[in-house]
Amino acid sequence: MRVLHGRPRTPTRATAYSRGRRQLSSALLVVLLGLLAALVAPATASADPGDPNPNMIDWTVVDSFRGTAGNDIPLREGQSDCKAPQCNPPVDGFGRRHILEHGVVPDHDDIQETVGTEGFCVPAPDNRVICTNTDASLVVVYVTHNDPRSGDGRPFGIITAYYFLPCFQAAACPGPEQPHKVDTALTYTGTDSAVNGSPARLSAKLTNDFGTPVGERAVRFALGTGATQQTCTGTTTASGTATCTIDPVDQPQGASNAVPVAVSFGGDDDYNPSGTSAELGLTSPTDLDYTGVTHLANGTSARLAAELTDFRGDAVAGRTVRFALGTGDDEQTCTGTTSDTGTAACTVASVDQPLTDAATVPLRASFAGDAGYLASDTSAQLKLQYATGRAYGMSAHVGLLGVPLLEIDPQPDTGTVRTADATATDTPCSAAYTSPLLSAQKLCPEVTTTLAPGRVTAVSTVAQARIGLPGVPVIEVSGLTATAASQCGKATGSTALTLKIAGVPVNVSGDPNTEIPLVGGGRLIVNEQVPSSAADSGVKVNGVHLVLPAGGGEVVLASADSAMHNCGD
């Protein structure tokens, strides 16, 4: 760029004519062109507001202007440059004297337009403001703060103002100068972090060598390098800012946890290219899937496992996963480190969890995240193995022609046992029950459960019993024991007794569901066994089950029931 402190008005600048601004004479243009070699760059043509040279300063205001916010911008008489050895250190001038020393004072309207138009001015160090008007080819530099030496309370004001002459063709540049373009600079202003799988907004500001925004130019952004590089392009606004979005970010997660972003302006007929770079902190989302056991049994070990993957579904190795089995005071925890396949596993040595109504135990696996990977977690409901059982001595519901003869609810009765722990009932035995139709002595029920492996055993014993109901022969039983035992994958039942019917001993084989027909149409079932349909394994055993004819009712002696649930695959 070639700089003039007096602007030539040429027929090629129609905007200057449209505003009715005066032309410089050809003689003045020759003089100004002759000064080109002696002109200093804008950065060295600015006075220091703190120059310790009060005797050389004339604070008289010769013209006044208003900034974009209505702020006061005076043009003072100022002072001329003072070079060594007259001034040591040298002093840069300011105001009208400084401007005239290098050319002519620009047109009042040009200065007002330049300092009063939004987007033309940018702040610089030392309270300076640099305003660039490319339409008028004018630069104005002013200072906003007050210098008490002026005595008038107004701001320091304009330091310098000069026209600059673009030279885009060799024929337009007299002398040995060759055409050249305006230098530019890029500053990255976008996000400082990126998340794989999510959008990232990149932005940068393009300015010229005066620090003024350059609009309507394409800026290219490149995230990453090599085959995984992602690019987008944005166009600068009036403020010089270009933005674009990479959506989604898809960059390899390296050990540095950072990804480079390169920003470039390719240049054009008016401006030289420029570039900048930055590093964005890179993180990747993760997904955690539970892959461990789905069934638990108290008193046994449980292998908990989960698979950690990134946003692409690739394994994430070397990360710690925490497992929590149960909640509150019952929580049991362990940790594992993910392998090359992304799997972390650990073992709870002995599960100890309460049995809930749903017979499930909550499991939560979590990865806390780190500098490269975002946190994730997962949960599951694991089924807890449990046992059920019941035992009672006898029960009877007998009627004749609609008239109840015998109503005995189960007794003595353990009630239904439901547990995931090792337990034993303590139901008291019944010494005797006596009636004309049914008598029994020493009835004892019991249900016990054990762990590792889980097992439930229900036992009911009746020392002696006599059934004497109308329409059936007398049945006498002694030494009756009914047993139902269940564990995962297996359920067994058995009955032992001595039996007499109508005073005659009956040999019982011991086979399940042995049925003995009775005179009068009744049925006597010995060692009755009914498999459980609501459990993984289970059986109900009735030692003796008398079914009366014509819907007359039934009598059960020594009943035992056991079952296992949530056994797993």
Side-chain angles (χ1 to χ4, degrees), residues 135-185:
D135 287 341
S137 298
L138 178 62
V139 173
V140 178
V141 181
Y142 67 89
V143 174
T144 58
H145 77 269
N146 171 261
D147 190 316
R149 293 175 296 173
S150 69
D152 57 16
R154 297 180 67 178
F156 188 89
I158 294 176
I159 295 175
T160 189
Y162 54 88
Y163 293 107
F164 60 91
L165 176 65
C167 269
F168 298 123
Q169 297 180 1
C173 300
E177 283 196 37
Q178 296 300 314
H180 63 278
K181 305 174 184 179
V182 179
D183 288 335
T184 60

Side-chain angles (χ1 to χ4, degrees), residues 216-482:
E216 301 298 325
R217 263 66 183 182
V219 174
R220 181 180 184 270
F221 298 83
L223 184 66
T225 59
T228 60
Q229 187 179 79
Q230 296 175 274
T231 63
C232 63
T233 301
T235 301
T236 57
T237 63
S239 66
T241 300
T243 62
C244 70
T245 300
I246 300 293
D247 188 12
V249 173
D250 188 357
Q251 292 295 313
Q253 191 70 56
S256 64
N257 298 322
V259 61
V261 58
V263 188
S264 59
F265 165 57
D268 54 24
D269 291 342
D270 299 331
Y271 293 97
N272 283 322
S274 57
T276 190
S277 62
E279 282 195 343
L280 310 186
L282 180 65
T283 52
S284 292
T286 60
D287 185 61
L288 195 61
D289 291 321
Y290 181 72
T291 58
V293 296
T294 58
H295 290 72
L296 305 170
N298 279 336
T300 65
S301 63
R303 182 181 182 274
L304 311 178
E307 186 177 73
L308 184 66
T309 55
D310 65 12
F311 73 109
R312 297 190 190 93
D314 295 335
V316 178
R319 265 66 183 182
T320 299
V321 176
R322 180 181 185 270
F323 298 87
L325 188 64
T327 59
D329 293 340
D330 298 310
E331 185 178 81
Q332 295 177 278
T333 64
C334 62
T335 58
T337 301
T338 55
S339 64
D340 290 342
T341 63
T343 297
C346 65
T347 298
V348 173
S350 180
V351 175
D352 184 9
Q353 292 295 316
L355 179 62
T356 64
D357 290 344
T360 58
V361 178
L363 179 283
R364 184 173 182 269
S366 57
F367 164 56
D370 55 27
Y373 291 94
L374 299 179
S376 59
D377 59 53
T378 189
S379 60
Q381 291 291 331
L382 309 186
K383 293 183 177 181
L384 181 63
Q385 185 184 111
Y386 68 99
T388 56
R390 183 185 184 187
Y392 61 86
M394 66 177 182
S395 67
H397 301 282
V398 177
L400 180 63
L401 300 176
V403 178
L405 297 179
L406 196 62
E407 289 290 337
I408 303 173
D409 290 332
Q411 61 171 283
D413 185 7
T414 63
T416 299
V417 174
R418 182 177 182 271
T419 182
D421 297 316
T423 62
T425 59
D426 57 358
T427 305
C429 298
S430 291
Y433 177 87
T434 303
S435 78
L437 303 179
L438 174 63
S439 63
Q441 296 179 2
K442 198 174 182 181
L443 298 84
C444 297
E446 183 181 40
V447 177
T448 59
T449 59
T450 59
L451 301 178
R455 181 180 175 89
V456 55
T457 303
V459 179
S460 180
T461 61
V462 177
Q464 290 183 341
R466 180 182 183 279
I467 304 172
L469 297 174
V472 295
V474 174
I475 301 170
E476 296 175 283
V477 176
S478 62
L480 174 60
T481 300

Side-chain angles (χ1 to χ4, degrees), residues 2-5 30-42 44-45 81 83 92 98-103 176-177:
R2 301 177 67 246
V3 178
L4 294 178
H5 283 266
V30 172
V31 172
L32 293 175
L33 292 174
L35 292 173
L36 283 170
L39 294 180
V40 294
T44 62
D81 294 347
K83 307 299 182 185
D92 288 335
H98 171 72
I99 296 171
L100 287 174
E101 194 173 25
H102 298 289
E177 283 196 37

Side-chain angles (χ1 to χ4, degrees), residues 532-567:
S532 174
S533 61
D536 292 306
S537 60
V539 64
K540 179 178 182 179
V541 178
N542 292 321
V544 172
H545 185 187
L546 172 62
V547 180
L548 298 175
E554 64 176 358
V555 175
V556 174
L557 299 177
S559 180
D561 188 354
S562 69
M564 292 299 297
H565 308 259
N566 287 346
C567 289

